[in-house]
Amino acid sequence: MLELRTDRLLLRRWRKSDLEPWAAMNADPEVREHLGELLTREQSDAAVALMQVEFDERGFGWWALEVRETGEFVGRAGLDEVDEDMPFPGVDIGWRLTRSAWGHGYATEAAIRCLAFGFEDLGLPEVIASTTVNNLRSQAVMRRIGMSRNPADDFEDPSVPEGPLRQCVLYRTSREMATGHTGRRDRTPLD
């Protein structure tokens, strides 16, 4: 599994020490505001186990996100295959950060590096991102990394019960659109 680096961040394999802060994130109503119900510790641990298996199978997925200077775990970022029940195929980019990491540009920085990995290393023709209509912070990150939205692509998420989280927006970018946003950084295979 590769590590990805940016000037300030390390995107790396999950560690046992990440489980507690990850569970705290998933029990935080503000972090989960646009994601749905709060998760228990068991659900959070199971999510990490699944992310690791999928990453090992595909060679990409969700990295744990660490601030290089301090070693602090601040969330996750990465690429994921779109679920089969969604109304579109593709590879999705995403991020989820602890509240203390909001407002520092970490989501944008990690996402730019993930896009570079997707286009340069995986050879993806396109990367998509989706979020709820009201998640304006994530939509701002999507625009900052060179993604664009066509309102005709907006959709209702079939995996979400009726309510405010069901209506979603879809952003897209291609290798050509992302040029200038995906400055390549060092990468190191894990031993």
Side-chain angles (χ1 to χ4, degrees), residues 12-25 41 45 48 63-66 71-75:
R12 58 158 172 79
R13 188 165 189 86
W14 291 78
R15 300 177 184 148
K16 188 172 184 178
S17 60
D18 299 330
L19 296 178
E20 187 173 328
W22 171 250
M25 284 177 57
R41 173 62 189 260
D45 289 356
V48 169
W63 283 276
L65 192 57
E66 175 183 306
E72 178 187 6
F73 170 87
V74 292

Side-chain angles (χ1 to χ4, degrees), residues 4 9 11-12 14 22 55 61-65 75-79 93-97 106-107 109-111 114:
L4 303 180
L9 301 171
L11 289 79
R12 58 158 172 79
W14 291 78
W22 171 250
F55 203 117
W62 299 109
W63 283 276
L65 192 57
R76 77 170 190 185
L79 302 166
I93 189 170
W95 45 85
R96 185 180 316 163
L97 278 66
Y106 293 149
E109 189 172 324
C114 290

Side-chain angles (χ1 to χ4, degrees), residues 118-134:
F119 293 134
E120 297 170 14
D121 294 80
L122 300 178
L124 298 173
E126 177 182 68
V127 175
I128 61 173
S130 64
T131 190
T132 61
V133 169
N134 295 321

Side-chain angles (χ1 to χ4, degrees), residues 16 24 44-45 52 62 79 90 105 115 118 120 122 129 137 139-140 142 155 162 182 185 190:
K16 188 172 184 178
S44 289
D45 289 356
Q52 290 184 74
W62 299 109
L79 302 166
L115 280 179
E120 297 170 14
L122 300 178
R137 285 175 169 258
Q139 290 181 53
M142 293 169 194
F155 65 100
E162 288 293 330
T182 59
R185 301 282 188 242
L190 289 176

Side-chain angles (χ1 to χ4, degrees), residues 172-190:
R172 300 176 184 272
T173 191
S174 64
R175 178 189 304 254
E176 294 76 26
M177 289 173 58
T179 300
H181 292 279
T182 59
R184 190 166 176 102
R185 301 282 188 242
D186 296 336
R187 63 174 194 198
T188 308
L190 289 176

Side-chain angles (χ1 to χ4, degrees), residues 134-179:
N134 295 321
N135 190 347
L136 302 180
R137 285 175 169 258
S138 277
Q139 290 181 53
V141 172
M142 293 169 194
R143 289 188 300 274
R144 278 194 295 274
I145 65 173
M147 301 186 97
S148 61
R149 173 181 169 219
N150 178 346
D153 291 335
D154 292 352
F155 65 100
E156 288 192 1
D157 186 338
S159 67
V160 175
E162 288 293 330
L165 301 182
R166 190 169 181 127
Q167 189 60 42
C168 295
V169 296
L170 182 69
Y171 281 73
R172 300 176 184 272
T173 191
S174 64
R175 178 189 304 254
E176 294 76 26
M177 289 173 58
T179 300

Side-chain angles (χ1 to χ4, degrees), residues 59-117:
F60 68 93
W62 299 109
W63 283 276
L65 192 57
E66 175 183 306
V67 176
R68 290 176 60 184
E69 185 175 319
T70 64
E72 178 187 6
F73 170 87
V74 292
R76 77 170 190 185
L79 302 166
D80 195 18
E81 292 177 345
V82 173
D83 292 336
E84 291 179 8
D85 62 344
M86 296 302 276
F88 47 83
V91 173
D92 183 43
I93 189 170
W95 45 85
R96 185 180 316 163
L97 278 66
T98 61
R99 269 190 295 145
S100 64
W102 293 0
H104 298 280
Y106 293 149
T108 300
E109 189 172 324
I112 288 169
R113 184 61 187 98
C114 290
L115 280 179
F117 177 78

